[in-house]
Amino acid sequence: MSEKLSIIQLGNPMLRQKAEVVNNIQDKTIQKLIDDLLFTVKEANGVGIAAPQVAVAYRIFIVASRPNLRYPNAPLMEPTAMINPRIVNYSEQIVKDWEGCLSIPGIRGLVPRYKTIEVEYTDRDGKLQNRKLTDFVARIFQHEYDHFEGLVFLDRIENTLDIFTEQEYQNLIFERL
């Protein structure tokens, strides 16, 4: 049975630690962690979550893009667990767009990220996967990957004028719809 995990918030030192490689993907505790992360990201209305956000320093994250109140224009995809992921190639084009974080509630920012990335990761069945990700899904991947390095999206913001409250972000987004 999956359970909703507690999401730690900015200021908790676990968010600034480097995550460790997962060696035994088939271990029952790793498989349960994946199930719990899948459940937690859905319950929290997020589009991604990394194990360090639930105070577990492993290189596992979920990418789960779908339209919701936080991201009304997000593409729909099957939630995907990515273990020991890495970026193997990236476009020269960098795009600045909105990000938020379940560990930093109430704050949004305009963050520069690669528009297109090629990634490798191991899926929960232990199979190596290679995918090309673009736009919003590439952004989610890069955001979650930063959690493995002890970084949060605020560390990537170029100018403090690019930081907004959630309310002002919502006002801007819904003015455009």
Side-chain angles (χ1 to χ4, degrees):
M1 172 110 179
S2 298
E3 65 180 289
K4 184 176 180 185
L5 302 171
S6 293
I7 299 169
I8 62 175
Q9 295 190 0
L10 187 64
N12 185 311
M14 284 287 299
L15 279 179
R16 296 305 190 166
Q17 291 182 6
K18 291 202 178 218
E20 297 176 28
V21 169
V22 177
N23 292 313
N24 185 0
I25 294 167
Q26 298 310 317
D27 182 274
K28 287 180 186 176
T29 58
I30 296 298
Q31 290 293 317
K32 173 142 179 40
L33 175 61
I34 292 167
D35 289 337
D36 292 347
L37 286 168
L38 286 161
F39 187 74
T40 301
V41 74
K42 184 177 180 187
E43 289 294 304
N45 209 23
V47 293
I49 193 168
Q53 291 180 268
V54 296
V56 178
Y58 279 132
R59 297 177 82 83
I60 300 172
F61 61 63
I62 307 298
V63 175
S65 180
R66 68 187 184 291
N68 61 43
L69 283 174
R70 295 178 72 226
Y71 299 100
N73 299 317
L76 182 62
M77 68 174 281
E78 186 69 30
T80 305
M82 299 183 178
I83 301 121
N84 301 326
R86 65 189 193 98
I87 298 171
V88 295
N89 205 350
Y90 51 88
S91 64
E92 289 185 24
Q93 185 179 7
I94 293 176
V95 177
K96 207 172 181 183
D97 207 351
W98 292 105
E99 290 186 28
C101 183
L102 297 173
S103 293
I104 309 173
I107 301 292
R108 291 299 182 113
L110 288 166
V111 182
R113 300 275 188 193
Y114 296 114
K115 179 177 174 54
T116 304
I117 56 175
E118 181 185 348
V119 303
E120 282 184 354
Y121 64 92
T122 304
D123 66 20
R124 73 178 305 167
D125 297 320
K127 294 185 181 115
L128 187 63
Q129 303 290 330
N130 183 290
R131 291 176 70 178
K132 187 174 185 178
L133 306 176
T134 60
D135 301 316
F136 188 68
V137 177
R139 178 169 297 280
I140 296 169
F141 185 101
Q142 292 169 83
H143 175 108
E144 300 309 334
Y145 188 87
D146 275 354
H147 283 298
F148 295 160
E149 302 303 317
L151 298 171
V152 296
F153 79 94
L154 293 172
D155 298 323
R156 299 267 185 207
I157 289 179
E158 298 172 320
N159 186 321
T160 56
L161 297 175
D162 289 338
I163 301 172
F164 285 64
T165 65
E166 181 70 29
Q167 183 60 56
E168 286 302 315
Y169 163 79
Q170 291 291 334
N171 291 344
L172 282 171
I173 293 301
F174 287 108
E175 282 175 11
R176 294 180 188 164
L177 296 179

